[in-house]
Amino acid sequence: MVSVDHFKYELIAQLRSAAAQGATTVVVNSTELCRSIRNANHSTQACCEAMEAEIKPGDVVIEQKSGTGMTVRYLLPRKDG
């Protein structure tokens, strides 16, 4: 079973990859993040929980649909705290 931790690990990997390529922001959609993890087809809630937990000051929730997903623009590089 796919957990919030699986999504958190994948999300952080994507944020680090984008930062390493010189990006200053990255837009992450929960549906796309869900698809990036094998057998995570129906884990939208866990995916959104991981994305929400990573939101820090300066990040922008572009879209949030109750129970069906979200899209967030994360600032890069990530700062602790």
Side-chain angles (χ1 to χ4, degrees):
M1 179 155 173
V2 179
S3 71
V4 173
D5 289 337
H6 290 100
F7 291 110
K8 181 177 179 175
Y9 179 80
E10 177 63 21
L11 175 59
I12 290 176
Q14 289 184 19
L15 297 175
R16 286 181 179 161
S17 176
Q21 294 174 30
T24 57
T25 63
V26 65
V27 175
V28 177
N29 176 277
S30 60
T31 302
E32 294 170 9
L33 184 61
C34 234
R35 286 183 188 146
S36 70
I37 296 183
R38 187 176 176 178
N39 298 324
N41 306 13
H42 304 290
S43 303
T44 305
Q45 183 64 34
C47 184
C48 289
E49 286 180 33
M51 289 178 65
E52 288 173 351
E54 187 57 31
I55 293 173
K56 301 200 182 325
D59 296 336
V60 177
V61 177
I62 297 170
E63 180 178 35
Q64 187 161 14
K65 297 179 182 174
S66 180
T68 62
M70 66 188 308
T71 303
V72 179
R73 183 176 59 233
Y74 296 99
L75 291 177
L76 300 174
R78 303 305 285 164
K79 298 201 185 329
D80 295 332

